[in-house]
Amino acid sequence: MSRAVVVVAAGSGTRLGIGDAKAFVPVAGEPMLTRAVRTVVTLAEPTVVVVVAPEARLDECRALVAAVAGPAVDLTAVVAGGADRHASVQAGLDALPDGIEWVGVHDAARCLTPAAQFDAVFARARETGDGVVPALPVTDTVKRVDGDVVVETVDRSALVGVQTPQVFPLARLRDAYAVAVQSETDDAGVYRAAGGTVRTVPGDADAFKITTRWDLARAEALVASRTGAAATGAAAAVPVVRVGLGVDVHAFDAASPCRVGLLDFPGEPGLSGHSDGDAVAHAVCDALLSAGGLGDIGGRFGTSEPRYAGASGDVFVHGAVELLRAAGLVPTSVTVQVIGNRPRIGARRDEMQSALAAVVGAPVAVSGTTTDGLGLTGRGEGLAAIATAVVRPV
């Protein structure tokens, strides 16, 4: 066997804001890493696979890779990543067995990359003997700026956006990494800095990198469209996603600590309730249960159960997610509208979204509004929240 793919899956996913290592974040119920590895192990030409994973999650990653690799499990290995992408790729290259001539380096976050792209890049590399990367033309107008001032328009005709896998002769890529004096943003940069030639082949729009919550939503939509297109006959009538609505309202209680959207707001009056009164978390819980046809928070957790006295909102959100999972469903996105005069959530919106997303396991979007003095929220008597959740079968 003369070729291999190093799947880089050690990134933290900070910009994604899900609160998990990015490669383990699900896309339509399956971790990105599962989708990426499945594509490689099912390529027509047998390919050795090395996965570079976070050191703290090696056992979990090995189990995941073994589950997806099946009969090809003997051709796979999982190793710990380094302090940055450069070090992680080096660790993956060092783990490759003898006899490998060509290696592709692939980002797990490009988990929807089609198999044809792998074959095209490897074929061109063997044909030319050079490094080869998939690339797409830059379609937006590109400006060079100084601060917020536009300096000039850059000619985009000579620009491309590159993807993965990026394929190279293994021995020469190892040498390039060994002599690199600085980290590059991709493997082609390392290879070219060492004097190697890098060529391009046409990329694929589906091979985009999931970096932000918008990217994740795009990936979910793409999987949904593929699933819908594949459905025929009676199966075509089965909805790909299910939507639920949750609403919660709590009165203010100055004697209670203020907790909204899983965040503490010191100095603000709290919300009354048997638990912590977190109207946002409770609305999210109800929306998730509603989407799954699983009842509501009162029916599932009770309104006066002693074990939930003072319980944090994440207990109920996590419980709803587990009930969905038991029903064969997973969340894909949640949106929440917070209605009230206080506390002000604008400055902490990103923090709240991340905290909720970490429990839901999917992107959460939060917005806030007031009622211009109307109703109980307008009079400052309490806080309301309306949440919408989208779930799909595992």
Side-chain angles (χ1 to χ4, degrees), residues 15 38 84 153 175 177 190 192 248 251 281 315 343 384:
R15 287 176 288 178
R38 180 187 295 118
D84 57 16
T153 300
D175 289 344
Y177 266 91
V190 176
R192 190 170 182 280
D248 199 52
V315 172

Side-chain angles (χ1 to χ4, degrees), residues 8 13 36 51 56 60 138 145 177 204 213 242 283 378 384 387:
V8 185
V51 176
E60 180 182 356
V138 174
V145 298
Y177 266 91
D204 191 292
R213 279 192 284 260
R242 300 166 68 172

Side-chain angles (χ1 to χ4, degrees), residues 86 89-90 93-94 96 100-105 124-132 166-180 187-199:
H86 187 98
V89 173
Q90 254 185 315
L93 297 177
D94 291 343
L96 290 172
I100 300 298
E101 184 179 1
W102 298 95
V103 63
V105 182
R124 183 61 173 159
R126 284 170 167 161
E127 177 187 341
T128 63
D130 296 321
V132 177
Q166 300 187 357
V167 174
F168 311 90
L170 174 57
R172 293 172 64 185
L173 184 61
R174 279 175 169 164
D175 289 344
Y177 266 91
V179 301
D187 311 287
V190 176
Y191 191 78
R192 190 170 182 280
T197 298
V198 179
R199 301 181 184 276

Side-chain angles (χ1 to χ4, degrees), residues 87-347:
S88 293
V89 173
Q90 254 185 315
L93 297 177
D94 291 343
L96 290 172
D98 295 337
I100 300 298
E101 184 179 1
W102 298 95
V103 63
V105 182
H106 183 53
D107 291 331
R110 297 184 185 273
C111 61
L112 302 184
T113 301
Q117 181 148 305
F118 285 82
D119 293 334
V121 181
F122 272 106
R124 183 61 173 159
R126 284 170 167 161
E127 177 187 341
T128 63
D130 296 321
V132 177
V133 301
L136 291 175
V138 174
T139 56
D140 291 332
T141 296
V142 179
K143 303 288 187 182
R144 192 184 310 279
V145 298
D146 181 4
D148 63 351
V149 177
V150 173
V151 176
E152 63 175 327
T153 300
V154 179
D155 181 7
R156 67 186 179 197
S157 64
L159 300 177
V160 294
V162 299
Q163 303 174 323
T164 66
Q166 300 187 357
V167 174
F168 311 90
L170 174 57
R172 293 172 64 185
L173 184 61
R174 279 175 169 164
D175 289 344
Y177 266 91
V179 301
V181 296
Q182 66 180 34
S183 294
E184 302 282 349
T185 57
D186 69 351
D187 311 287
V190 176
Y191 191 78
R192 190 170 182 280
T197 298
V198 179
R199 301 181 184 276
T200 67
V201 294
D204 191 292
D206 290 355
F208 64 92
K209 187 175 183 180
I210 300 175
T211 302
T212 66
R213 279 192 284 260
W214 186 93
D215 298 325
L216 183 58
R218 177 185 174 192
E220 295 274 3
L222 180 57
V223 173
S225 68
R226 290 176 176 176
T227 305
T232 57
V238 178
V240 175
V241 297
R242 300 166 68 172
V243 180
L245 181 68
V247 179
D248 199 52
V249 182
H250 282 274
F252 285 124
D253 177 6
S256 300
C258 183
R259 189 163 176 82
V260 176
L262 307 185
L263 302 183
D264 293 318
F265 288 83
E268 293 284 353
L271 295 164
S272 64
H274 179 63
S275 62
D276 66 353
D278 187 341
V280 170
H282 297 175
V284 170
C285 175
D286 262 341
L288 292 168
L289 293 172
S290 171
L294 300 172
D296 55 40
I297 188 171
R300 285 290 179 172
F301 303 103
T303 57
S304 59
E305 283 280 339
R307 57 179 168 161
Y308 295 123
S312 173
D314 64 324
V315 172
F316 304 105
V317 177
H318 179 75
V321 172
E322 289 304 306
L323 288 167
L324 284 170
R325 192 176 303 279
L329 300 166
V330 292
T332 63
S333 66
V334 174
T335 59
V336 190
Q337 178 81 57
V338 186
I339 306 168
N341 300 334
R342 56 192 308 183
R344 297 290 185 178
I345 67 168

